[in-house]
Amino acid sequence: MASLKITAKKNLSKTSRRNYLTYGLVILAFVILQAMSGSLSSSLKGMLVPICAYVVMAISLNLTVGILGELSLGHAGFMSVGAFTGVIVASYLQDTITIAPLRLAISMVAGAAFAALAGFLIGIPVLRLKGDYLAIVTLAFGEIIKTIFTNLYVGVDGRGLHFSLLEDKTNLAEGGKLVVSGPMGMGSIQKIASFTAGFLLILITLAVVFNLVNSRAGRAIMAIRDNRIAAESIGINVTKYKMIAFVTSAALAGAAGTLFAMNYSTIVATKFDFNTSILVLVFVVLGGLGNMLGSIIAAAVLTILPEALRQFSDYRMLVYAIVLILVMLATNNPTLRGYLDRVKGAITGKHSEKEAA
């Protein structure tokens, strides 16, 4: 019993060091980019907020895929719920709350709340499935959400918000404006998203995920991932803990969607399609399942890479695909993985603990 307690303390210590390392690298990257803001190109400056949004998306999906162990192919659907909800709330509060950062924060909270609600409603039927069946159903729900927003009309006037499906029947009063225009998407968006807001959202996301993973609920979630039958046999409520992970992941994706949308003057529902879900899944797989720092690095690098390869013109995406294949082959090389494990051990103190044991 004493040896088990010592082992648990050592594992907790290693986990804490890895978490602090992740926080430290994120803060360091933010400080460096802020210090270099005067020398960064305009294209790279314009990519900072989308990078933050994709980083949050990758971390949130890693919670479902890496920690819970369930494959979700509709994560962009929750991002779209957050994007549209956030823009609608921001437009409604535009005259009431004139402080842009506060309005952005309220919009992100609203986007996260509605995405969490969507995650809960979708999770009721979906989480009873597993494996390929769950992946296919989440893909279908993602496409359903995208189709709904493609046919949604939302207007705001002095009487409040007005909603309509398929065609514009909002009947706005004089001075009102159409916020969501069906297939035309959302236009005339006030660009109030900032790199600082994205950085803070990443820190909040990391705090939520790390605290969940290291909690009793997190240990139950990982037990379900490792062996569902064994988890059920010791009294773990599988549906409950799967729902906690799924809804938390959806809420974080919704906040990322709001941040992403508020960085552009115009955005359409087709931006949040199946390809976006697959892109975020690539971030997670490339960074490593359950590895939040890896997801952050993969999301940042793969978002910048297409822009960096622009010099290849028509062959840009071909080179991008080749780079992805080479990186995947390299990261699955046993020699390289052993070297990376030794480097990680030197940073986190893992080797010294093994020697002490």
Side-chain angles (χ1 to χ4, degrees):
M1 182 65 71
S3 62
L4 288 175
K5 287 183 178 179
I6 293 172
T7 303
K9 287 181 179 179
K10 286 183 178 180
N11 291 335
L12 183 60
S13 178
K14 288 187 289 184
T15 301
S16 298
R17 279 198 290 270
R18 285 196 296 269
N19 294 351
Y20 288 135
L21 175 64
T22 304
Y23 284 123
L25 291 178
V26 170
I27 294 170
L28 179 62
F30 174 74
V31 171
I32 292 174
L33 288 171
Q34 286 290 75
M36 295 175 57
S37 60
S39 58
L40 295 177
S41 64
S42 57
S43 61
L44 184 56
K45 285 183 180 179
M47 294 175 65
L48 291 177
V49 173
I51 287 173
C52 291
Y54 282 129
V55 164
V56 174
M57 286 290 292
I59 296 171
S60 64
L61 183 60
N62 210 340
L63 178 60
T64 300
V65 178
I67 305 302
L68 178 60
E70 298 289 359
L71 180 59
S72 173
L73 297 180
H75 211 56
F78 301 124
M79 189 182 187
S80 67
V81 172
F84 278 77
T85 302
V87 171
I88 292 170
V89 171
S91 299
Y92 182 72
L93 298 176
Q94 186 171 335
D95 298 328
T96 307
I97 300 176
T98 56
I99 303 173
L102 178 59
R103 191 163 71 252
L104 175 64
I106 294 173
S107 300
M108 285 197 291
V109 170
F114 274 84
L117 177 61
F120 176 76
L121 295 176
I122 291 172
I124 292 173
V126 165
L127 295 180
R128 300 179 186 277
L129 305 172
K130 58 182 178 179
D132 298 338
Y133 300 102
L134 186 144
I136 292 170
V137 174
T138 54
L139 169 62
F141 273 114
E143 292 300 305
I144 289 170
I145 292 172
K146 185 197 73 174
T147 303
I148 290 173
F149 284 125
T150 301
N151 295 280
L152 179 66
Y153 293 84
V154 180
V156 58
D157 59 17
R159 296 175 297 170
L161 293 171
H162 304 268
F163 298 87
S164 175
L165 277 174
L166 299 180
E167 57 181 307
D168 184 9
K169 295 181 179 179
T170 51
N171 299 320
L172 299 177
E174 186 177 353
K177 65 176 182 178
L178 204 59
V179 180
V180 182
S181 306
M184 300 298 292
M186 300 176 288
S188 302
I189 303 172
Q190 272 203 337
K191 298 168 65 174
I192 57 176
S194 65
F195 180 44
T196 302
F199 162 71
L200 293 175
L201 181 60
I202 291 174
L203 290 184
I204 293 171
T205 301
L206 287 174
V208 170
V209 172
F210 285 154
N211 280 284
L212 175 60
V213 171
N214 295 327
S215 67
R216 181 180 178 181
R219 291 190 290 273
I221 290 168
M222 289 184 284
I224 294 168
R225 175 197 64 191
D226 294 337
N227 193 319
R228 174 174 178 158
I229 296 175
E232 283 182 319
S233 69
I234 60 173
I236 293 177
N237 189 330
V238 173
T239 303
K240 172 187 171 182
Y241 288 108
K242 288 177 73 173
M243 184 68 79
I244 289 173
F246 196 70
V247 169
T248 302
S249 177
L252 295 173
T258 300
L259 178 74
F260 185 86
M262 301 302 288
N263 186 58
Y264 298 97
S265 57
T266 303
I267 199 161
V268 294
T270 51
K271 173 62 183 173
F272 309 103
D273 59 2
F274 172 67
N275 292 326
T276 302
S277 294
I278 293 299
L279 178 64
V280 179
L281 183 61
V282 169
F283 297 157
V284 173
V285 174
L286 190 63
L289 298 181
N291 185 348
M292 301 306 164
L293 180 57
S295 295
I296 293 171
I297 296 172
V301 171
L302 294 185
T303 304
I304 296 173
L305 190 58
E307 184 66 27
L309 296 175
R310 193 169 292 277
Q311 57 182 317
F312 292 98
S313 187
D314 295 337
Y315 301 98
R316 179 165 60 108
M317 297 313 295
L318 175 62
V319 176
Y320 178 75
I322 293 173
V323 170
L324 279 182
I325 293 171
L326 293 177
V327 170
M328 289 300 295
L329 291 175
T331 53
N332 282 279
N333 183 283
T335 304
L336 181 60
R337 288 181 67 88
Y339 173 74
L340 293 176
D341 288 339
R342 288 195 296 273
V343 172
K344 186 188 295 184
I347 294 173
T348 61
K350 185 176 180 179
H351 292 302
S352 61
E353 288 175 2
K354 280 186 175 180
E355 292 170 2

